[in-house]
Amino acid sequence: MERLNWHIDNINCAACTARIEKVLSRVEGVTEIVVNPTTARARIVYDPQLISEQDIASRIERLGFGVRREQTEQETHRYSLRGFLIAAAATLLLLYLSMFAHMLGFPVPAFLDHQQQPLNFAVAQLLLTAVVLLIGRRFYSSGFPALFRRAPNMDSLIALGSSAAVLYSLYALLMLAGGDHSYVDQLYFETAAMIVTLVMLGKFLEERAKNRANSALSGLLELAPDTATVLRDGVERTLAVSEIVVGDTLVIRAGERLPVDGRLIEGNSFVDEAYLTGESMPREVQAGDSVYAGAINQAGFFRYTATEVGAQTLLARISAAMEEAQASKAPIARVADKVAAVFVPVILLIALAAAALWLLAGEDIAFALRVFIAVLVIACPCALGLATPTAITVAMGKAASLGILIKNGEALEAAAHIDTVVIDKTGTLTEGKPQLTALLCAGGVSRAQALGWAASLERHSEHPLAAAILAAADEEGLSLAEPQEFALLPGLGLAAKLEGRAFVLGNQRLLEQNGVAVDEKWQRSAAELQDQGATTVFLAADGQLLALLALADRLKEHSAEVIARLKRDGYKTLMLTGDNLRSARAIAAQAGVDELVAEVLPQQKLEQIAALQRQSAVAMVGDGINDAPALIQANVGVAVGSGADIALDAADIALIGNDIGGVARVLELSRYTLRIIKQNLVWAFCYNIAGVPIAAGLFYAFGGPLLNPIFGAAAMSLSSICVVSNALRIKTFKEQ
């Protein structure tokens, strides 16, 4: 399967997206099609053996839409402020001439007086209206072709409504030219001009708001610099970032942004990675540390080797994932999509039916025309279509600023319904790096001797505990010896000769097999350390017990706070780990989780998640590698990663960095976003349910006023602006 992520031109409302999705979903070879009206971006998954990329593009173009591989300035600013101001000026002159002058007694030139020169009066209105219609011509170039293709959209309603007003006014102008001056009061040019101008204003404001919603992705893409200083053949050269290759040495000075991912080889500094982790405090880096494109070098000078360039940098991968996510839809959007697919044709029928009924009731054609236009222009599928995708787009941008990457709209919505949070232990709640926490020595054996012997024995071991012992010896500056006859004993430990003595290092069973007695005192000490969450290792030589080492994976600094917050917010918490029960119980107590399940294999973790899902919606939080089956099985999988090791494939949501505080933040953000979406949908549905009957003359039938089409156009524009503005409130989200 191949995947496309295209920008689509001329998307004006939810009816447009529904049309594209409906047509392409029926095409053989297209397995998935999602179009986001907020970003005008389409995600298409297809089988290249059944249909080509060119064929898909041509099918979209035959529907009246353009296809672009990359976003353009033209697409970003479809409605210009300059054009609107000219149209507004022409409309104000038109209103002055047609209404204000003779209604309020304002002066007008004699040759434009509506009583003395009615034909001149009508022609002047026609010319001013023509200016407005010319500027707003995209409503007609999009609306009428869509209508002729039997796939009307929002532009079709605007085009029909304003054209009806213009055509009737042209008829009145012809009657005036024939000498029937009674038609001077039957001109509706100002109605057409006001409709187009007000909708242009609404679209301009709506577009600005949508661009603000998309600002997170565009801002992310601008983080990487265009050029960089590269050291080649001993000479510093300024090159375009696209020319950098893996292995290049880059020179970074204070205040500069990093162009690619890499590893420091010289110098040290502090780098600002707030865009990546959401953490405002800079990170100290030195030789051997990894750094990432887009980060800012705050102080000092360093050189680093490029390890990932171009599309492989973490910044590029995050940008690609965000772009993919913004092309997705949440399940809640399906309701609006179903309505939008039939909305415009239904509105057309209602407008025609309302006009016909008023004609049958005895009203004149001018009255029926007014009702017809009002119904067309007050209807707003835009608000309905924007209600969900705009909120999701803003929420994903906000999440990115907090160091959280959400893969799609489905994950965001699912996170709002979670009630049980399952968390892995190693590398998630804990640091994931065992450390030497205690060393008990037999009489006559010093700490330096015991640690030196243990580290020397572990020199050739790849066990995680070996790394902790070697790190402790290195910190204390101990010199190590070379072991002889080294033997790794799976499930027990290791054995080797050192300084002419036969050493063993491992668990109690290993000592017993080698005839080393472990008395009650040593056993009690080992049990106490294990109850504190440590793994214990015995050291013996020539049948004599020399020392007991305790190694533990420490709880992360804020883990207990995060668990407490989750419990305060009403979530049930459970720690799921493959570690032994005694160690796991100690960490669970320190973290404060509600329940513990230990000594489970990866497949058993999946089974545990499945069992929990029978009673609740489950979020699984893990490192994204060993926990992959459970992450996929959970309603929402949250990967806690760091840098380039982020587990984007297995999880629905990724925390960029090791701070699990993002779990509480993303769950709270998802609930807030879903609340905003529901507010938007209620507003959009209620607006149309109330607005259309009023425009059709419901109030007038019971002695009330008849809605002026101009007010209908204003209300329609205001509806879309309200929905988008409400979604933008997500940008101000602050965790409780």
Side-chain angles (χ1 to χ4, degrees):
M1 291 293 175
E2 298 287 340
R3 186 181 299 267
L4 302 172
N5 203 333
W6 284 345
H7 296 274
I8 309 297
D9 285 341
N10 302 326
I11 287 184
N12 304 300
C13 64
C16 299
T17 61
R19 176 67 174 168
I20 296 172
E21 291 175 349
K22 182 178 180 180
V23 171
L24 281 189
S25 64
R26 296 174 177 174
V27 175
E28 184 181 7
V30 176
T31 59
E32 181 184 352
I33 168 70
V34 179
V35 186
N36 187 319
T38 302
T39 59
R41 190 173 286 129
R43 183 181 69 193
I44 306 167
V45 180
Y46 71 102
D47 185 344
Q49 294 184 344
L50 298 177
I51 188 170
S52 68
E53 182 177 331
Q54 292 74 20
D55 192 18
I56 294 173
S58 66
R59 287 173 183 269
I60 295 175
E61 288 165 352
R62 285 201 296 271
L63 295 174
F65 304 96
V67 174
R68 297 179 187 272
R69 272 62 172 178
E70 300 294 336
Q71 190 172 19
T72 65
E73 189 70 14
Q74 175 186 348
E75 182 185 359
T76 306
H77 303 288
R78 293 181 298 169
Y79 300 91
S80 71
L81 178 61
R82 180 173 175 269
F84 164 71
L85 291 176
I86 294 173
T91 300
L92 287 174
L93 284 174
L94 180 57
L95 289 173
Y96 181 89
L97 178 64
S98 63
M99 298 174 61
F100 300 147
H102 69 272
M103 288 175 62
L104 303 177
F106 291 165
V108 294
F111 73 94
L112 292 178
D113 184 271
H114 74 288
Q115 293 180 338
Q116 303 300 321
Q117 299 290 337
L119 184 59
N120 290 351
F121 174 75
V123 171
Q125 289 192 47
L126 172 61
L127 293 176
L128 288 170
T129 302
V131 172
V132 177
L133 299 187
L134 180 64
I135 294 171
R137 61 188 177 278
R138 67 176 317 278
F139 294 118
Y140 305 92
S141 61
S142 167
F144 283 125
L147 186 64
F148 298 148
R149 287 192 299 269
R150 292 181 295 177
N153 55 25
M154 186 63 212
D155 286 348
S156 302
L157 299 182
I158 302 303
L160 275 175
S162 57
S163 296
V166 170
L167 289 173
Y168 185 81
S169 299
L170 286 173
Y171 170 74
L173 189 150
L174 291 174
M175 298 303 291
L176 287 171
D180 189 344
H181 291 185
S182 65
Y183 277 89
V184 75
D185 295 322
Q186 300 293 314
L187 297 171
Y188 288 94
F189 286 121
E190 80 284 351
T191 298
M194 276 296 290
I195 288 172
V196 172
T197 302
L198 285 171
V199 174
M200 283 179 63
L201 173 61
K203 288 291 186 181
F204 175 74
L205 295 175
E206 176 190 313
E207 187 175 82
R208 288 189 62 184
K210 288 199 294 184
N211 287 339
R212 285 176 59 198
N214 295 327
S215 62
L217 178 58
S218 58
L220 200 61
L221 294 171
E222 293 169 2
L223 284 175
D226 296 324
T227 60
T229 303
V230 180
L231 186 64
R232 286 184 180 173
D233 302 323
V235 179
E236 291 188 7
R237 304 177 183 179
T238 300
L239 300 178
V241 172
S242 59
E243 297 180 58
I244 298 174
V245 297
V246 173
D248 271 341
T249 298
L250 293 104
V251 180
I252 303 295
R253 296 176 173 84
E256 294 183 342
R257 283 193 181 273
L258 279 63
V260 296
D261 295 356
R263 193 174 299 278
L264 259 68
I265 56 175
E266 178 186 345
N268 57 74
S269 184
F270 290 87
V271 292
D272 179 358
E273 296 176 332
Y275 82 94
L276 182 68
T277 63
E279 177 57 57
S280 59
M281 292 295 292
R283 177 171 68 97
E284 183 177 4
V285 293
Q286 53 192 356
D289 288 342
S290 296
V291 288
Y292 304 102
I296 302 174
N297 177 28
Q298 290 198 331
F301 163 92
F302 63 83
R303 292 174 179 164
Y304 75 101
T305 300
T307 56
E308 302 288 350
V309 300
Q312 298 307 310
T313 66
L314 181 59
L315 177 63
R317 290 168 58 202
I318 292 173
S319 300
M322 278 191 66
E323 193 169 13
E324 178 82 7
Q326 288 188 350
S328 68
K329 288 186 179 180
I332 196 172
R334 293 171 189 158
V335 176
D337 288 346
K338 289 178 181 178
V339 174
V342 298
F343 186 89
V344 175
V346 168
I347 290 299
L348 281 170
L349 291 174
I350 292 174
L352 289 169
L357 286 173
W358 282 115
L359 286 174
L360 292 173
E363 297 291 345
D364 59 24
I365 191 169
F367 183 95
L369 179 66
R370 187 176 176 183
V371 169
F372 176 76
I373 296 171
V375 172
L376 290 181
V377 299
I378 200 172
C380 190
C382 296
L384 199 60
L386 293 170
T388 300
T390 306
I392 288 175
T393 298
V394 178
M396 288 177 174
K398 182 63 180 180
S401 72
L402 297 172
I404 302 165
L405 185 60
I406 303 173
K407 287 183 68 174
N408 50 55
E410 292 90 338
L412 183 66
E413 182 178 340
H417 300 293
I418 294 299
D419 44 37
T420 300
V421 180
V422 178
I423 307 180
D424 174 53
K425 179 180 83 70
T426 306
T428 305
L429 281 173
T430 65
E431 295 287 350
K433 296 179 180 178
Q435 297 176 325
L436 181 68
T437 57
L439 176 56
L440 306 179
C441 301
V445 178
S446 69
R447 175 184 173 87
Q449 283 179 311
L451 183 56
W453 287 330
S456 296
L457 293 169
E458 294 282 19
R459 290 185 70 174
H460 301 299
S461 173
E462 297 180 355
H463 195 281
L465 297 182
I469 294 172
L470 288 166
D474 185 60
E475 286 179 9
E476 298 188 19
L478 301 179
S479 298
L480 305 184
E482 183 66 30
Q484 304 295 320
E485 300 179 19
F486 177 87
L488 185 63
L489 307 171
L492 298 172
L494 57 85
K497 284 194 174 181
L498 196 66
E499 299 174 354
R501 303 172 67 184
F503 279 86
V504 290
L505 180 68
N507 57 29
Q508 186 174 339
R509 279 192 299 150
L510 175 62
L511 267 65
E512 291 172 348
Q513 288 182 11
N514 284 270
V516 180
V518 181
D519 62 28
E520 186 177 338
K521 176 185 174 182
W522 284 103
Q523 291 180 23
R524 187 166 54 250
S525 296
E528 289 173 356
L529 290 168
Q530 289 170 8
D531 286 338
Q532 296 170 18
T535 298
T536 54
V537 178
F538 291 97
L539 174 67
D542 296 332
Q544 181 183 0
L545 182 56
L546 302 176
L548 173 65
L549 294 83
L551 302 111
D553 187 6
R554 294 177 180 173
L555 200 67
K556 288 181 181 177
E557 183 180 359
H558 301 295
S559 290
E561 295 176 19
V562 174
I563 296 298
R565 178 178 168 186
L566 288 170
K567 292 167 70 174
R568 186 188 69 228
D569 290 344
Y571 296 103
K572 175 184 174 182
T573 58
L574 182 147
M575 191 175 88
L576 190 62
T577 178
D579 283 358
N580 69 78
L581 180 59
R582 179 171 278 175
S583 297
R585 187 179 288 136
I587 294 296
Q590 294 173 35
V593 295
D594 295 314
E595 295 183 16
L596 165 67
V597 178
E599 300 178 354
V600 290
L601 298 173
Q603 180 61 31
Q604 293 173 318
K605 284 187 177 184
L606 183 150
E607 293 168 359
Q608 287 287 335
I609 296 294
L612 286 169
Q613 286 176 310
R614 298 188 188 105
Q615 289 108 23
S616 60
V618 180
M620 172 66 195
V621 186
D623 63 15
I625 301 171
N626 296 329
D627 300 310
L631 288 168
I632 295 170
Q633 173 65 36
N635 299 86
V636 176
V638 182
V640 179
S642 61
D645 294 328
I646 190 169
L648 296 179
D649 292 333
D652 303 301
I653 297 172
L655 308 183
I656 306 170
N658 283 318
D659 179 17
I660 65 167
V663 176
R665 284 192 287 272
V666 74
L667 292 176
E668 189 175 335
L669 175 63
S670 65
R671 292 198 307 270
Y672 183 69
T673 301
L674 191 62
R675 187 159 64 246
I676 292 290
I677 289 172
K678 289 179 178 178
Q679 290 171 0
N680 282 349
L681 288 173
V682 168
W683 165 257
F685 276 117
C686 291
Y687 166 84
N688 284 291
I689 290 171
V692 172
I694 292 171
L698 179 64
F699 284 178
Y700 185 82
F702 293 94
L706 183 67
L707 181 71
N708 190 308
I710 292 173
F711 293 116
M716 184 274 293
S717 297
L718 183 63
S719 178
S720 294
I721 295 169
C722 286
V723 164
V724 177
S725 299
N726 190 45
L728 286 173
R729 289 171 51 212
I730 298 172
K731 279 196 168 187
T732 65
F733 165 80
K734 293 182 180 178
E735 53 188 302
Q736 301 298 314

